[in-house]
Amino acid sequence: MRYYQAILFFIIIPAIVMSALHGCAVNPATGRRDFVLMSENQEIELGKKYHAEILKQYKIYNNPELQTYVSGIGEELAKVSHRNNLIFRFTVLDSPQVNAFALPGGYIYITRGILAYLNSEAELAGVLGHEIGHVTARHSVRQHSAGTMSSIFSTIIAFKTGSRSYSDLSQILGGSLLAGYGRSHELEADRLGAEYLARTGYAPDNMIDVIGVLKNQEVFAKARAKAEGREINTYHGVFATHPANDKRLREVIAAAKNYQTAAQRPDNRDTYLQMLNSVIYDQSPTQGIIRQGLFLHPDLGIAFKLPQGWRTQNLPDRVLMINQPRDAVIQLTVIDLNKRESPKEFLSQALGNPTPISSRALQINGLDAYSMITESNTSFGKRLTRYVTIFNGNRAYLFAGTVKDNAMMQTLDDTFLKTASGFHRITAAEKELAKPYRITLHTVKRGENYASLAAKTAFPDYREQRLRLINGQYPAGEPKPGATIKLVQ
Ligand SMILES: [Zn+2]
């Protein structure tokens, strides 16, 4: 019996090991057994696949020095993490969104938008440590039950260009990656991030500071949205699930101090601020800039006048214009042409050869164009939609205007056509107008305060509040004479 059992034992072990790889695995960060559906190799493959998708939609911020700096800090943290066998990759994205997120397998992203709100290297390490924590604790990509973006922001037209898949990415971007993972996972990422801070010599309290700064930014954004009577586009939810004074957060940060190494290091505020000097703030020419009622895209070489009184959302993959009652929307997308074809052929194919209610060829400011009205699947349901495609170089621009109620088409079609008809090649004067705002550094002189300094900034509104926010002194702090602070000019 004993002999027999031993054989059985030998046969069974490999099977258990195999199932452990695919089913219940020991979580590297927590030491507990988790139900994980994928192996590490599968996880890395998934990360690689999504990374390519992310880079189709976001541009890498063109500042090699800043990229190297961020990677350097990230790699130091990754080395002391629970999965130091993984290759972590850190990317600064050219996006004004205030966000940081992680893909499975060690791909970590941080936007220049969030960097503007941080005030030291230690705070940057806090954000990176938090994201590394999501990877080490294997908070895998989860599907979001309810989209974080309101339905009007979801794709309003069904595309059949075959050149790229919009739905795939919107699922990723609309899901937990950008919205956070829920309270318990966020707390766990904070705990791990604080531990990695301690292990690299940064004070774990920086985690609390960074959450405070980002929380203030969100509170401000929400208050503004409410005052302006619009919905907030909570693209990011990172750090937003718990307040900075959360008792459990304070407990895990305090516990992280046990990992503090002997060699403590300063927060390196000055080094960090120098790195941020002249970094683009808010909109960038690579994504298009809205100024004086115009949408300007110097990189694509195009411009058009936005419909007056409508709100514009410049998203990574499209521009959305929404009227005040929120019952009409115009969407602009750009598609790389794969072959020589006419605007008519392109549009018919892109829409799956529909039977148009009306259609005609157009010339728009010297560019070949084609327009049609047809019924389409939109976020309002199956609705009349005005399409105008305009060819410029090797790209097709596609305007799609639709309404909540088909009867409204009569009054709104004029606005749809007028907006598309304003499309033109960007002029020299418009290129000049499309210069981005940049972060500059300023040494505070005696007698200066945020109110007086705000007047020197290029913020479009709420100057003093915005200035306090990016300098971590919201709502009522004042800078000390001699201190270096950030301005936006
Ligand atoms: Zn998180």
Side-chain angles (χ1 to χ4, degrees), residues 100 130-131 134 139 177 180-182 185-187 189-190 237-239 241:
H130 174 99
E131 295 306 327
H134 279 308
H139 298 153
L177 272 184
Y181 294 87
H185 282 178
E186 291 304 331
L187 186 70
D190 286 335
V238 187
F239 301 104
T241 47

Side-chain angles (χ1 to χ4, degrees), residues 49-240:
K49 193 183 130 200
Y50 283 160
H51 178 65
E53 289 294 316
I54 296 282
L55 294 189
K56 273 185 203 165
Q57 299 291 311
Y58 286 97
K59 287 206 162 71
I60 295 175
Y61 184 50
N62 184 16
N63 183 331
E65 199 188 0
L66 182 66
Q67 296 280 356
T68 306
Y69 176 68
V70 170
S71 293
I73 307 292
E75 275 158 23
E76 267 194 78
L77 295 158
K79 240 179 258 171
V80 300
S81 80
H82 296 85
R83 295 182 78 187
N84 56 9
N85 60 316
L86 273 187
I87 295 172
F88 279 81
R89 293 174 173 88
F90 301 86
T91 309
V92 181
L93 297 175
D94 188 2
S95 165
Q97 293 163 12
V98 178
N99 209 353
F101 54 97
L103 289 180
Y107 291 86
I108 308 239
Y109 306 87
I110 187 161
T111 60
R112 61 173 171 74
I114 205 172
L115 292 178
Y117 285 90
L118 306 180
N119 283 289
S120 71
E121 186 177 290
E123 286 184 4
L124 167 64
V127 174
L128 297 175
H130 174 99
E131 295 306 327
I132 293 169
H134 279 308
V135 176
T136 57
R138 305 194 79 183
H139 298 153
S140 50
V141 183
R142 290 173 169 190
Q143 285 211 348
H144 236 222
S145 48
T148 47
M149 297 188 288
S150 67
S151 63
I152 201 160
F153 297 129
S154 58
T155 314
I156 67 155
I157 45 170
F159 254 135
K160 286 188 182 167
T161 61
S163 56
R164 53 158 86 161
S165 161
Y166 285 96
S167 58
D168 261 6
L169 194 79
S170 62
Q171 215 165 51
I172 304 167
L173 297 184
S176 54
L177 272 184
L178 296 195
Y181 294 87
R183 197 181 161 91
S184 67
H185 282 178
E186 291 304 331
L187 186 70
E188 187 165 56
D190 286 335
R191 176 178 69 76
L192 293 166
E195 181 183 329
Y196 305 152
L197 283 182
R199 287 188 189 278
T200 46
Y202 296 110
D205 288 341
N206 280 292
M207 193 60 86
I208 292 177
D209 293 345
V210 92
I211 291 166
V213 166
L214 297 175
K215 192 80 197 168
N216 282 341
Q217 186 275 334
E218 193 181 287
V219 167
F220 172 74
K222 276 191 177 154
R224 251 178 59 222
K226 204 177 163 198
E228 290 162 20
R230 60 180 165 83
E231 269 176 48
I232 185 171
N233 184 13
T234 42
Y235 233 146
H236 67 285
V238 187
F239 301 104

